Amino acid sequence: MGKKVKKEIEPPPKDVFDPLPIESKKAATAVLMLQSPEEEILAKSCDALYKFAKKGEENKLSLLGLGAVESLSKLVSHEDKIVRRNATMVCGIMASNLHYIPAIIPIEEVVIHEFATLCLAHMATEYTSKARIFEVNGLEPLLKLLSSPDPDVKKNSLECIYLLTQEFQNRSAVWELNAIPPLLELLKSEYPVIQQLSLRTLCSISCEVEARNALIENQALEQLQKILETKEYNDLHTDTLSVIANCLEDSQALLTLQLSGGLKRILEFAETTPLHEAQRHAAKAISKAAYNDENRKFLHEQEVEKVLLSMLGTDNDEVKAAACLAIAAMCENLESKHFFSKQGISLIVALVNKDDAEMRESATFVLANLTTNSPINASALAEAGAVATLIQLLSDERDKVIANACTVLLNMAAEEPLRLLLQTHGVIQALVQPLQSVNSIILSKAALTVAAMACDPDARTDLRNVNGLLPLVKLLCSDHNEVRRSACQAIAVCASDNLTAVELYKLGALDLLQDETVSRSRSNNFSELAFNKLLDNNLPLKYCQRGYLSYSNYIEDGFYDCGRIKPNAKFLSLEDLIKQELNQKRPILLINAKLPDLTPVSSTPMEEKQELTGQLSNSRNASRERGGKAKVKPKKEEDKPKEEEEEVLLRSQSPVISENKPWSPPFDQDLYDCINEASETILPLSDIPDQVDALAKLVAKKMGGAVEKERLQDFNWELHISELKFALKCNVIPIGKIKKGIFYHRALLFKVIADRIGIRCSLSRGEYGRAWNEVKLIDSQQGAFKVISPPKCYIVDLMFEPGRLIIQGSVDAESYQRI
């Protein structure tokens, strides 16, 4: 037997590393091991990190700080299956703190699907992650996972898809990828959370028209109706109604429901369901459907108004608010609006007083729609006693409530009786606060309400008294086009009388409007109207600035011509001009033929009567001395007006002055007599050219007669004017006192008298004291323009050949205007 030979063990190759078992107790070491090229180490490191991250949020944050994210994001696409699975599990558990997108969605094992979709569901809560998922075409594999046998994968995938569909581009992509059939199939799932997520996803994508069409094609409405009819699905009714609400925006969907009887069942469900949340969404469904004209007709035929009114009787404010919005939408239908006016206004008015701000907003919104273009409803609202409440809402804490209240008041103000009612409740004073709001919608609505109310003189007076014009003028500086437009409209209405127009000018409205009319970016349809209206009702200012009064500008008592002023100079009132000391400037011409007030001022009636009697007695005695003995004759009836006129004159010259009585310009007796003379001698003439000729001669006669062209320089009118100023000790001269007048004196007097006796003419100012009148000849029998060949305007000669008509634009006309 041979001797055994011991087998020698071969030494390992020199280039092979001996196995090294490592036991690590630090997470940082495991993170470093994620860089290893060995698959076993990678798998074990990921598994250890998964267990560590699962213990709490602090551990997840610790891993983020150690830089594990970058390595894990690479490992989810590793070639080894176990490494991919473990890395994905770590990503899934850390998903709430991850800010990256995996390169791919694994498609091999259920556990990988679960954690990958969980990861994406967490990341889809952020906009940037949604955009990234869309960019890497992540929707398609997610939709494929909806057919996974694992309910967790379905749930995670659905949640991610639902979050993605919050962005419009993802919504379109979902239905384009034919996602609707699998989503409808998931409605049959045994898991409520999957059903709910599916409904919410359908609700999101059904905002798109194409998606709604796809839902109808896939018989989704029938399936949704079955859910509503199943009491066990109470928790799904709210989301189901949300999907139906979106579908009902299309007439085709409503028609489908109507033909199948589904619409009637939905209305019955809305009225009878005990769930307030479901009832609220049913009202929202009706509201959305009612924004289509044809849908409103269908809903009206199904008597939806009764259902909505029954909702107003519930004890839940959210249901009432939703019902109000549905009623507001149905008000676009005239028949529905008429129905609500009879039975619903009192119920809605009661909701306006609620403490809940959302309820007040919804109720006022309904009232705004109910009263739009409906005087009957506006009157019914007033009869329901809502005026005081609406005015109080102008100071509400919620901006939309104020805007809605302004709209209601605006609609009511369209009727004159209601305007007066609003005025007696102090609506003008209440509007001052909204005019100072920072909300552009409120500012615009409040200005429009002022425009509607300011049609009445008393309302304009109230607006001046409560200092409401200043905030209105400030709106002209707004950067919002709609606010400026509404402010211009309100100012155009407010400037309908002289007092308000003058006040608006003092507040700087004219300059702001002028800047706005010349601006291309800020001008609007009402800026020029407001500017012209402001001038047309402040003719002294208009003539001063523009040097022109049109045919329609009627010169009233109190008008004054102060000539041209410098562009930046302040336009003073007549009262301020009269108070100025005598100066060497051009005198101001005053027009005032208004008889003084007969009301006694500071003296007692007996004392004033004795004073006037004494003055009259002295006047009669003086006449007897001049004419000898006068026979006492009984008073005739025609003598009484003369005596009354004489009494008025004496009273106007009385030195008794009232401190409480408002200031009024001095009475011009000469102008008063001149107007009476024109009325007596010119009005009887039947032909307009004859009237123009007679008036021109009368004006020339009062102003010193005709003047030869060659001797115009010898017409010494300046000395006469200076003597009048010195005699009156005032820079303001009543025009009737001028006996030697030049062009601009005569043209102004002609315009004043022509306006009083019905001759239409304009007044234009030229250079160097020139001014002239243009006339148009009118057929008084037919009330239309009488064309004279050539059909041009005529200038009336008041200086050289009084009564001569000069064709505008001719050489003679230019000579008359510019000599």
Side-chain angles (χ1 to χ4, degrees):
M1 184 174 177
K3 187 178 180 181
K4 290 185 179 180
V5 181
K6 187 177 180 180
K7 186 178 180 180
E8 295 182 2
I9 299 175
E10 296 181 3
K14 294 181 179 180
D15 59 345
V16 175
F17 183 77
D18 294 336
L20 178 64
I22 297 177
E23 183 177 348
S24 176
K25 295 183 179 180
K26 298 290 183 181
T29 305
V31 172
L32 290 175
M33 293 170 66
L34 294 177
Q35 306 294 332
S36 173
E38 298 185 49
E39 295 172 352
E40 184 178 359
I41 292 177
L42 291 175
K44 290 182 177 180
S45 298
C46 289
D47 185 57
L49 291 175
Y50 169 74
K51 294 176 181 178
F52 177 73
K54 193 176 181 180
K55 293 179 180 179
E57 294 295 325
E58 293 182 359
N59 292 354
K60 297 177 186 177
L61 294 173
S62 176
L63 290 179
L64 286 174
L66 292 171
V69 172
E70 184 177 356
S71 299
L72 289 170
S73 64
K74 296 176 181 178
L75 294 179
V76 294
S77 57
H78 196 276
E79 60 184 9
D80 185 76
K81 183 188 301 184
I82 298 177
V83 173
R84 285 201 306 269
R85 182 192 66 186
N86 292 355
T88 304
M89 289 172 64
V90 182
C91 292
I93 200 68
M94 292 179 59
S96 60
N97 291 306
L98 285 179
H99 298 280
Y100 74 99
I101 301 293
I104 62 169
I105 298 178
I107 56 173
E108 296 147 354
E109 295 185 6
V110 171
V111 66
I112 296 179
H113 293 165
E114 178 184 349
F115 285 99
T117 52
L118 177 63
C119 173
L120 289 174
H122 279 289
M123 289 186 292
T125 58
E126 295 187 3
Y127 175 77
T128 53
S129 299
K130 293 178 186 178
R132 182 60 180 157
I133 293 174
F134 179 78
E135 290 174 3
V136 299
N137 299 318
L139 271 173
E140 188 171 0
L142 282 170
L143 291 172
K144 289 180 179 179
L145 290 179
L146 294 179
S147 58
S148 171
D150 187 78
D152 290 326
V153 175
K154 291 180 180 178
K155 181 260 181 187
N156 294 340
S157 301
L158 264 177
E159 185 174 3
C160 184
I161 293 170
Y162 167 67
L163 293 171
L164 291 173
T165 54
Q166 303 308 303
E167 305 299 326
F168 75 94
Q169 58 182 3
N170 292 327
R171 284 200 296 266
S172 300
V174 167
W175 72 262
E176 287 175 357
L177 292 170
N178 198 29
I180 289 179
L183 288 172
L184 292 175
E185 186 65 28
L186 290 177
L187 293 178
K188 303 174 184 177
S189 173
E190 59 181 319
Y191 298 98
V193 65
I194 292 178
Q195 291 177 305
Q196 190 174 58
L197 285 170
S198 180
L199 283 170
R200 291 182 179 178
T201 305
L202 289 171
C203 180
S204 181
I205 64 175
S206 60
C207 294
E208 304 291 329
V209 177
E210 294 83 356
R212 292 197 293 268
N213 294 334
L215 283 170
I216 296 173
E217 292 174 1
N218 286 274
Q219 287 80 41
L221 293 176
E222 290 81 354
Q223 195 168 342
L224 294 172
Q225 288 179 59
K226 291 179 181 179
I227 295 176
L228 289 179
E229 293 170 357
T230 307
K231 293 183 179 181
E232 291 77 10
Y233 290 160
N234 282 346
D235 55 333
L236 302 178
H237 287 171
T238 298
D239 294 314
T240 303
L241 286 168
S242 297
V243 181
I244 294 176
N246 289 343
C247 292
L248 288 180
E249 292 184 21
D250 294 335
S251 300
Q252 183 62 36
L254 188 66
L255 181 60
T256 302
L257 281 176
Q258 187 188 29
L259 294 175
S260 64
L263 180 60
K264 188 174 182 180
R265 286 196 294 272
I266 290 174
L267 295 179
E268 291 175 354
F269 174 84
E271 191 173 8
T272 59
T273 179
L275 301 175
H276 292 313
E277 188 68 14
Q279 204 170 25
R280 181 170 68 89
H281 278 77
K284 286 186 176 181
I286 296 171
S287 178
K288 285 191 175 183
Y291 279 102
N292 181 291
D293 186 45
E294 299 217 352
N295 291 356
R296 286 193 295 270
K297 293 179 181 178
F298 288 140
L299 290 170
H300 174 67
E301 292 172 359
Q302 298 295 325
E303 297 183 337
V304 71
E305 297 89 353
K306 294 181 179 179
V307 177
L308 295 175
L309 288 180
S310 69
M311 288 185 179
L312 293 181
T314 62
D315 57 354
N316 185 276
D317 287 345
E318 292 184 351
V319 174
K320 291 178 181 178
C324 284
L325 295 178
I327 292 173
M330 285 299 300
C331 283
E332 296 295 325
N333 183 282
L334 294 179
E335 294 178 353
S336 297
K337 182 181 288 190
H338 183 65
F339 179 90
F340 289 127
S341 68
K342 288 184 175 180
Q343 303 184 32
I345 285 185
S346 58
L347 293 174
I348 298 170
V349 170
L351 301 178
V352 174
N353 295 314
K354 288 282 187 179
D355 294 333
D356 184 70
E358 185 178 356
M359 175 62 68
R360 294 198 305 274
E361 180 182 331
S362 300
T364 51
F365 181 63
V366 175
L367 293 179
N369 283 21
L370 274 173
T371 54
T372 299
N373 299 324
S374 179
I376 296 176
N377 287 357
S379 300
L381 189 59
E383 293 173 0
V387 172
T389 303
L390 288 168
I391 293 176
Q392 290 177 359
L393 291 178
L394 293 178
S395 57
D396 195 89
E397 59 185 11
R398 200 177 182 101
D399 287 348
K400 289 186 177 180
V401 174
I402 300 175
N404 292 337
C406 285
T407 304
V408 179
L409 294 172
L410 174 63
N411 294 336
M412 296 179 72
E415 302 299 315
E416 184 177 358
L418 298 183
R419 273 202 310 273
L420 299 177
L421 179 62
L422 293 174
Q423 188 177 333
T424 57
H425 281 77
V427 67
I428 295 297
Q429 184 174 0
L431 283 169
V432 175
Q433 182 176 343
L435 286 174
Q436 303 175 61
S437 172
V438 295
N439 186 298
S440 60
I441 297 177
I442 292 178
L443 293 174
S444 178
K445 296 286 186 183
L448 290 176
T449 308
V450 170
M453 290 297 305
C455 297
D456 299 322
D458 291 340
R460 295 194 292 270
T461 302
D462 290 345
L463 195 62
R464 294 195 304 270
N465 294 338
V466 299
N467 298 321
L469 294 176
L470 179 59
L472 192 62
V473 172
K474 288 182 178 180
L475 296 186
L476 296 175
C477 302
S478 173
D479 294 330
H480 297 274
N481 293 334
E482 192 62 29
V483 173
R484 292 198 309 275
R485 183 179 183 275
S486 300
C488 289
Q489 185 175 351
I491 290 174
V493 178
C494 290
S496 297
D497 63 74
N498 179 258
L499 290 176
T500 311
V502 170
E503 186 66 23
L504 287 168
Y505 170 76
K506 291 179 181 178
L507 295 173
L510 190 71
D511 295 335
L512 293 173
L513 288 170
Q514 189 170 19
D515 294 340
E516 191 153 325
T517 53
V518 298
S519 172
R520 293 184 178 180
S521 60
R522 296 177 65 86
S523 62
N524 55 72
N525 296 336
F526 289 97
S527 56
E528 187 173 357
L529 172 65
F531 181 78
N532 293 330
K533 198 73 176 291
L534 201 58
L535 289 178
D536 286 340
N537 287 284
N538 192 356
L539 293 185
L541 175 62
K542 179 177 182 179
Y543 193 49
C544 172
Q545 287 207 344
R546 293 192 168 183
Y548 176 77
L549 296 181
S550 67
Y551 293 87
S552 59
N553 292 142
Y554 182 88
I555 296 180
E556 296 180 343
D557 295 314
F559 177 90
Y560 58 99
D561 174 19
C562 61
R564 286 195 178 94
I565 60 175
K566 295 180 180 179
N568 296 327
K570 183 180 180 181
F571 182 78
L572 299 177
S573 66
L574 179 61
E575 186 175 1
D576 293 334
L577 291 171
I578 287 180
K579 292 178 181 178
Q580 287 182 342
E581 295 183 0
L582 197 64
N583 55 44
Q584 301 298 321
K585 296 180 180 179
R586 172 191 180 280
I588 293 91
L589 303 181
L590 171 64
I591 307 297
N592 186 34
K594 183 179 179 181
L595 293 172
D597 189 6
L598 296 177
T599 305
V601 282
S602 63
S603 59
T604 63
M606 183 61 67
E607 291 173 348
E608 190 169 356
K609 182 177 180 180
Q610 291 174 354
E611 183 182 355
L612 291 173
T613 304
Q615 291 175 353
L616 288 170
S617 177
N618 294 336
S619 176
R620 294 189 187 101
N621 291 337
S623 65
R624 287 194 185 103
E625 291 176 1
R626 288 193 300 268
K629 291 185 178 181
K631 295 182 180 180
V632 179
K633 296 182 179 180
K635 293 182 180 179
K636 298 180 179 179
E637 291 295 328
E638 58 269 17
D639 293 337
K640 290 182 181 180
K642 295 182 180 179
E643 290 186 7
E644 292 176 0
E645 187 176 319
E646 185 179 4
E647 184 176 351
V648 169
L649 175 60
L650 290 173
R651 185 170 297 182
S652 68
Q653 296 172 349
S654 174
V656 179
I657 300 175
S658 171
E659 296 181 357
N660 298 325
K661 187 177 180 180
W663 180 88
S664 60
F667 173 63
D668 189 347
Q669 179 66 43
D670 296 304
L671 176 61
Y672 179 82
D673 294 338
C674 187
I675 293 174
N676 286 339
E677 181 180 349
S679 300
E680 294 174 359
T681 60
I682 297 175
L683 276 179
L685 301 176
S686 59
D687 196 12
I688 297 296
D690 292 341
Q691 291 183 351
V692 172
D693 178 73
L695 179 57
K697 291 176 179 176
L698 176 62
V699 169
K701 176 183 175 184
K702 297 293 182 182
M703 289 286 180
V707 180
E708 297 179 7
K709 285 186 180 181
E710 295 76 12
R711 308 209 43 174
L712 183 61
Q713 295 180 351
D714 299 332
F715 187 65
N716 196 6
W717 60 275
E718 295 96 338
L719 178 60
H720 171 63
I721 298 297
S722 299
E723 290 174 348
L724 283 175
K725 286 179 64 177
F726 181 78
L728 296 172
K729 298 293 188 293
C730 183
N731 297 314
V732 179
I733 300 177
I735 196 169
K737 293 186 176 297
I738 299 176
K739 305 306 177 186
K740 294 185 72 173
I742 198 68
F743 293 91
Y744 73 91
H745 302 116
R746 301 187 182 202
L748 177 58
L749 181 60
F750 184 91
K751 170 69 172 170
V752 170
I753 301 176
D755 287 346
R756 307 298 172 99
I757 64 176
I759 298 177
R760 297 178 72 250
C761 72
S762 65
L763 174 63
S764 302
R765 191 203 311 277
E767 302 291 338
Y768 306 107
R770 301 289 184 254
W772 59 90
N773 305 99
E774 295 179 4
V775 296
K776 291 181 179 179
L777 303 180
I778 301 175
D779 188 348
S780 59
Q781 295 180 351
Q782 298 179 1
F785 290 104
K786 183 178 180 180
V787 179
I788 299 176
S789 181
K792 296 180 180 179
C793 297
Y794 290 82
I795 293 176
V796 182
D797 187 350
L798 302 174
M799 202 72 200
F800 308 121
E801 300 178 32
R804 180 171 63 110
L805 298 179
I806 308 171
I807 298 176
Q808 176 64 283
S810 64
V811 176
D812 290 343
E814 293 181 1
S815 174
Y816 186 83
Q817 296 167 345
R818 298 169 185 167
I819 286 180

